[in-house]
Amino acid sequence: MYPNVKSVLIASHNSGKVKEIRDLLQPFGVEVFDASGIGIEEPEETEPSFTGNALLKARAAAKASNKLSLGDDSGLCVNALGGQPGIYSARWAGPSRDFGVAMARVEQELLAIKASDYSAYFICVLALVWPEDANGEMKELVFEGKVHGHLRFPPKGNNGFGYDPIFVANGQKISFGEMDELNKNGMSHRTKAFEKLIAEVFAD
Ligand code: IMP
C-alpha cells in the first residue's frame, strides 16, 4: 500500500481513456489531473511493446510535471492478423483518428486472408511512475489486463470509443459499443489492469 498517493496525473490526451480512468479512480478519493488539462505533451510512442510505451508516457509526464503519473498503453490484438493492430491500434485510425477507417481496415485484412478465426483481445498496460527522488531515481510499477472475445462486423453501437463497436467479449451477445459504460467497465482490460494497481497501491 502507498498511503501517500493523493493525486495522479493521467499521461494521456485520449478523452475516452481519461474518462474511464477517472471513473475507476473515483472511489479512492484521489485528485486526478490529465495531461491536456495541464498542458503536458504526449510523447511519440517509439517503443515496440505496450509496456515500453506505457512507461515512456508515464516517465515523460512525471518528468515534465513532477507529479505521480499514470501511463496507459492499450490496443486491440487480432489473432488471425498476428496480433495487429496491437501497439499500432491508434495509428490505424490515421491522423484524424477515424475509427470507422480503422475498423474497416481490420475487416478488409481479415477478408483478404479469408480468416475463419475472428478471435481478438484488448490489452491494457498501466505504468505508474513517481517523480525523481533525491538520488535521481524514478520508482515504477507496471500492471497488465486483458479481455478476450471476437470481432463482429458491421460495427454496432455508439458507446465507448475506438474499436468498441466491433468487439464482443467472451460470454456476451452485444459489442462493447452497445454496452453501457458500467457493464463495459465491469469486464474491460483497463479494469483488470486497474484491479491489480488498486490491490497494490490502495488496498490495506
Ligand atoms: P494508445 O494506448 O494511446 O496507443 O491507444 C490505444 C488505442 O487502442 C486506442 O486509440 C483505441 O483505438 C484502442 N483501444 C484501447 N482501449 C480500447 C477500448 O477500451 N475500447 C476500444 N478501443 C480501445
Side-chain angles (χ1 to χ4, degrees):
M1 192 187 173
Y2 295 80
N4 294 330
V5 173
K6 305 275 185 254
S7 70
V8 175
L9 168 63
I10 305 171
S12 175
H13 286 226
N14 176 328
S15 56
K17 266 188 198 176
V18 169
K19 182 180 181 326
E20 283 190 12
I21 296 173
R22 272 187 189 281
D23 290 349
L24 289 161
L25 283 175
Q26 201 258 334
F28 301 95
V30 178
E31 189 178 5
V32 174
F33 300 95
D34 72 86
S36 51
I38 63 168
I40 304 273
E41 295 290 317
E42 227 178 329
E44 205 187 324
E45 295 181 15
T46 49
E47 291 294 320
S49 67
F50 289 103
T51 301
N53 284 322
L55 279 167
L56 177 141
K57 290 185 255 190
R59 284 175 186 151
K63 270 213 168 82
S65 66
N66 217 29
K67 292 183 193 299
L68 173 62
S69 297
L70 181 65
D72 167 319
D73 201 49
S74 49
L76 176 72
C77 299
V78 183
N79 293 320
L81 301 180
Q84 290 192 86
I87 59 167
Y88 301 105
S89 294
R91 281 164 271 185
W92 275 30
S96 61
R97 291 287 181 261
D98 182 342
F99 281 94
V101 169
M103 290 187 283
R105 177 165 171 194
V106 172
E107 183 175 24
Q108 276 152 19
E109 299 219 0
L110 286 167
L111 291 172
I113 59 166
K114 297 190 171 47
S116 53
D117 172 11
Y118 273 46
S119 66
Y121 61 92
F122 277 123
I123 177 169
C124 171
V125 176
L126 296 173
L128 196 57
V129 174
W130 277 257
E132 270 181 19
D133 63 18
N135 303 319
E137 286 178 16
M138 297 172 97
K139 180 173 170 49
E140 302 178 336
L141 297 174
V142 173
F143 309 92
E144 182 187 294
K146 284 183 185 174
V147 58
H148 292 272
H150 68 274
L151 303 182
R152 196 186 57 194
F153 297 92
K156 273 197 186 159
N158 298 315
N159 298 335
F161 65 98
Y163 297 87
D164 280 341
I166 57 171
F167 184 80
V168 181
N170 285 346
Q172 302 300 310
K173 290 197 168 66
I174 57 173
S175 72
F176 270 3
E178 295 170 283
M179 266 184 196
D180 65 45
E181 67 185 22
L182 271 182
N183 280 337
K184 177 189 169 187
N185 282 352
M187 67 186 77
S188 82
H189 47 314
R190 196 159 292 105
T191 300
K192 288 178 179 166
F194 252 91
E195 281 168 357
K196 295 178 187 170
L197 181 152
I198 284 159
E200 179 133 358
V201 177
F202 297 108
D204 294 323

